Amino acid sequence: IIIMKTIKINGFTMSLIVGFTILVYACKTDMMDYEGVDGVYFVMQRKPPSGYGDPEQYEYVDTTYIPFGTTSSKDTTLFIRVRVMGDVKNYDRYVTIKVDPKATTAEANIDYIPFDDHQTIKAGERQVDIPCRITWNEKLAFNPDSTFYLAVKLEENEFFSLPLKKWYPVGDIYGDKNKMINPLVHVIGINDQLGKPNIWNQNYWGDFSPTKIKLMCAVLGAQISDFEKYSTMDINRQIAYGRIFAKYLREEKEAGRTVYDYDALGNKFEMTMGPNAK
């Protein structure tokens, strides 16, 4: 009798352990292995500054910014990825994606080109990349401090439900593990601002400002896009830029042509570099 009780207790304990293990495994594996219902969700990700690593492990985001101020392009295409939860099928299915008018301030055919509400996931596929064309216009130039938003949302249809209401990064996913995102809505921010790039070496370059990076590019013969990835802005180049531009600022000041920067309120102050740029 004691042995039977022991077996029952151990069996109960093992059931808990096995059940918990399965639960953790299900959370840490890709969400498209979810069973029981076919659903869809947005898979929008941000590359780490290095630009390297497994793309499946990039940070998940529910907002993407298109800052035209960082490029000379007047037209760009953002691919909005939608992925299936459930089994791959041997026939075509479509997902329903619509603009959310309550959360959208961007204008169709001015800030973006409308796309079809129904997008096909082909037989044998488990995701679709929906091209969303974003266009620059003079409204952005006249409102440099404004951001216009295009919000798109997934809706249920005959093929797919929306069982995944929120998403926390798990496992080896890059990014903030405490940040919850909405996988059913994606917001695209469109502006003409020149924001801080992926690579900005505070120790050598000091505080970021649009004025400073534009002048650095003019003096050093660089492009703003060079500051987006390590392949075009490795540590040696960062150090060299800091020292060369610091020398330029010193020489201009000695010649009576002190270079100034401006804060958000328009107040003028002397432009400086970081503490290591000597």
Side-chain angles (χ1 to χ4, degrees):
I1 295 174
I2 294 175
I3 293 174
M4 290 179 66
K5 286 184 178 180
T6 302
I7 291 173
K8 287 180 180 180
I9 293 172
N10 287 344
F12 177 70
T13 303
M14 287 302 294
S15 296
L16 285 178
I17 294 173
V18 171
F20 179 73
T21 302
I22 293 172
L23 176 61
V24 172
Y25 179 79
C27 290
K28 294 188 66 173
T29 54
D30 197 296
M31 289 181 291
M32 58 194 177
D33 290 331
Y34 179 88
E35 295 181 0
V37 64
D38 287 337
V40 284
Y41 61 99
F42 286 122
V43 181
M44 297 299 291
Q45 297 168 284
R46 179 186 294 120
K47 289 184 179 180
S50 67
Y52 298 107
D54 180 1
E56 283 297 318
Q57 302 301 316
Y58 290 165
E59 179 183 5
Y60 282 54
V61 295
D62 52 17
T63 304
T64 299
Y65 286 96
I66 307 295
F68 280 105
T70 61
T71 177
S72 60
S73 174
K74 304 299 182 184
D75 189 303
T76 189
T77 298
L78 175 69
F79 287 93
I80 304 173
R81 175 166 292 180
V82 178
R83 184 170 290 175
V84 173
M85 297 174 65
D87 297 328
V88 171
K89 305 297 185 183
N90 60 0
Y91 52 84
D92 290 353
R93 295 175 289 176
Y94 70 86
V95 298
T96 301
I97 175 174
K98 292 186 177 181
V99 172
D100 183 355
K102 294 181 179 180
T104 296
T105 56
E107 298 180 74
N109 295 308
I110 296 179
D111 299 302
Y112 70 97
I113 305 303
F115 48 81
D116 291 338
D117 291 347
H118 292 168
Q119 298 286 331
T120 302
I121 294 183
K122 295 182 179 180
E125 300 290 336
R126 66 190 336 144
Q127 65 188 29
V128 59
D129 290 331
I130 303 167
C132 179
R133 184 180 170 192
I134 309 296
T135 56
W136 182 92
N137 61 82
E138 292 185 352
K139 177 181 66 176
L140 295 174
F142 293 139
N143 297 274
D145 297 324
S146 298
T147 299
F148 300 91
Y149 294 97
L150 167 61
V152 294
K153 60 181 180 179
L154 293 169
E155 292 189 353
E156 293 186 348
N157 61 28
E158 61 184 287
F159 295 108
F160 298 109
S161 62
L162 306 174
L164 189 64
K165 304 302 181 185
K166 58 184 178 180
W167 159 243
Y168 285 98
V170 294
D172 297 325
I173 295 291
Y174 306 147
D176 186 351
K177 299 298 188 295
N178 296 316
K179 181 182 178 182
M180 186 272 289
I181 70 166
N182 185 345
L184 304 180
V185 175
H186 197 75
V187 178
I188 303 164
I190 308 165
N191 59 49
D192 206 25
Q193 299 169 11
L194 181 53
K196 187 177 180 179
N198 284 334
I199 299 173
W200 185 262
N201 193 318
Q202 190 89 10
N203 290 329
Y204 283 91
W205 302 340
D207 293 335
F208 171 81
S209 79
T211 303
K212 181 185 290 185
I213 193 173
K214 288 179 180 179
L215 186 57
M216 286 177 65
C217 287
V219 171
L220 301 170
Q223 301 291 326
I224 290 175
S225 58
D226 293 341
F227 293 79
E228 291 301 322
K229 50 188 177 180
Y230 283 116
S231 61
T232 52
M233 190 61 67
D234 60 28
I235 188 61
N236 292 325
R237 192 175 182 185
Q238 294 172 36
I239 294 172
Y241 274 17
R243 291 174 175 172
I244 294 171
F245 195 72
K247 180 182 178 183
Y248 165 80
L249 294 178
R250 288 196 302 269
E251 291 176 347
E252 287 297 291
K253 185 174 182 178
E254 292 168 358
R257 299 187 297 268
T258 301
V259 178
Y260 292 99
D261 206 339
Y262 301 86
D263 63 21
L265 299 176
N267 300 313
K268 183 172 69 173
F269 59 93
E270 182 179 348
M271 184 179 293
T272 59
M273 297 298 277
N276 292 347
K278 299 179 180 180

